[in-house]
Amino acid sequence: MPPARSRPVDNLDDDDYPAYTMGRAAEMLGTTPAFLRALGEHRLITPLRSQGGHRRYSRYQLRIAARARELVDEGTPIEAACRIVILEDQLEEAQRINEQLRNRGNESQQPKTSA
């Protein structure tokens, strides 16, 4: 029996694929294109550019932008919101790496059994 996913992963399965135009991204986030441009100016997200020079956003970037929007909606200045989101993202990555290292350490400390 073939595996459930016999087709190769396509671009829409890729969290980093820049699938969304600026207008669509703004619509999905309930914000304006100007807000997305501001996030780019503050270096929170850097959209890729289409061959025609239009900004394109990935799902990952939209999640980051949505978090920034939450903070701004709560009254946080956009500069501070961008910095907070960057730090949250760095913390999440550090915790993931620590967990991987902890798991490797636990595996190496387990007694080896001989067959």
Side-chain angles (χ1 to χ4, degrees):
M1 177 188 285
R5 286 187 64 130
S6 58
R7 67 177 174 84
V9 174
D10 65 22
N11 290 335
L12 296 178
D13 292 331
D14 183 353
D15 225 21
D16 294 318
Y17 181 72
Y20 303 98
T21 63
M22 176 180 275
R24 179 69 180 127
E27 180 184 314
M28 290 170 67
L29 295 172
T31 189
T32 63
F35 180 77
L36 292 173
R37 281 192 293 275
L39 296 181
E41 290 168 10
H42 289 94
R43 297 187 180 142
L44 179 62
I45 55 176
T46 304
L48 291 175
R49 297 283 182 152
S50 69
Q51 289 182 340
H54 300 282
R55 291 174 179 89
R56 296 286 188 160
Y57 297 89
S58 68
R59 287 189 310 223
Y60 173 75
Q61 289 172 324
L62 294 184
R63 283 196 301 274
I64 295 290
R67 176 64 180 130
R69 179 165 186 243
E70 286 175 13
L71 292 168
V72 169
D73 287 351
E74 293 169 0
T76 306
I78 193 164
E79 300 85 12
C82 289
R83 186 68 183 140
I84 289 167
V85 174
I86 289 167
L87 291 171
E88 288 174 344
D89 199 48
Q90 290 172 343
L91 176 60
E92 185 178 314
E93 177 68 7
Q95 289 172 330
R96 187 188 60 75
I97 291 168
N98 283 340
E99 183 64 26
Q100 287 176 341
L101 293 173
R102 198 173 299 118
N103 289 340
R104 273 192 224 145
N106 289 339
E107 289 170 6
S108 67
Q109 291 177 1
Q110 293 179 359
K112 307 237 188 301
T113 58
S114 55

